[in-house]
Amino acid sequence: SPTGDSWGIFTFLCAALCNLPALPALNCSEELGAGQSIQQTYDLTRYLEHQLRTLAGTYLNYLGPPFNEPDFNPPRLARAERVPSATVDLDLWRGLTDNARLAANYRAYSRLLCYLRVLDGQVGTAELRHRLAHFCASLQGLVLSIGGVMSSLGYPLPAGPA
């Protein structure tokens, strides 16, 4: 049976699914080599979006009714508001430099990876653990890819977890 922390995991998966593809808002006017790295990084974010949908579906099936029913609409909980949103005001985002955008994505995905690694010990089924581990491996690849883009453009990596 799911633990009381199931709402936190469910809310996190929903929030992450809505906010994952933030990386593509880069200006690709830099070096051609960096442009290819940016495209590969973008492709990885799209793959991660697909993986996250699969992970969310597996988790909802684990929770069972009413969560896995097609018309389920989760209520807004006070706890859900503690999950940080990756959404940034579009005008603010457009005003950021590529370095600032990449650094923001690097930090955000690094934090997400740290959070998911902590969640791994709380997951109840082997299938869910497997999907979460696969997602974490891909997410680690995304963080490394963003770091590679930053390095190829001559930007320093942000301090903090990687």
Side-chain angles (χ1 to χ4, degrees):
S1 171
T3 66
D5 199 39
S6 293
W7 275 110
I9 297 170
F10 172 73
T11 304
F12 164 76
L13 286 173
C14 290
L17 187 58
C18 292
N19 295 303
L20 184 63
L23 186 69
L26 295 170
N27 296 325
C28 294
S29 59
E30 301 292 335
E31 306 168 14
L32 289 177
Q36 184 178 8
S37 293
I38 290 169
Q39 182 62 48
Q40 289 173 342
T41 303
Y42 172 74
D43 292 343
L44 185 53
T45 62
R46 301 314 295 184
Y47 176 64
L48 282 166
E49 182 181 22
H50 166 74
Q51 279 187 295
L52 188 55
R53 288 183 195 284
T54 302
L55 179 61
T58 302
Y59 185 68
L60 293 177
N61 284 333
Y62 163 70
L63 291 177
F67 303 102
N68 63 348
E69 294 173 357
D71 60 343
F72 177 70
N73 189 8
R76 294 299 269 166
L77 302 174
R79 184 174 188 174
E81 295 177 12
R82 290 195 283 170
V83 176
S85 172
T87 305
V88 175
D89 178 69
L90 187 58
D91 290 331
L92 175 64
W93 186 255
R94 286 182 177 159
L96 295 177
T97 64
D98 287 345
N99 184 16
R101 290 178 186 173
L102 285 164
N105 275 289
Y106 184 89
R107 283 189 300 274
Y109 289 122
S110 293
R111 288 183 186 130
L112 175 60
L113 183 60
C114 289
Y115 180 79
L116 288 175
R117 286 182 174 154
V118 169
L119 271 183
D120 187 42
Q122 301 172 12
V123 174
T125 68
E127 180 185 7
L128 196 51
R129 274 193 304 278
H130 174 73
R131 290 194 189 277
L132 186 59
H134 185 68
F135 184 77
C136 285
S138 297
L139 191 57
Q140 177 69 44
L142 177 62
V143 171
L144 293 173
S145 183
I146 294 170
V149 170
M150 292 182 76
S151 294
S152 71
L153 294 172
Y155 302 144
L157 292 180

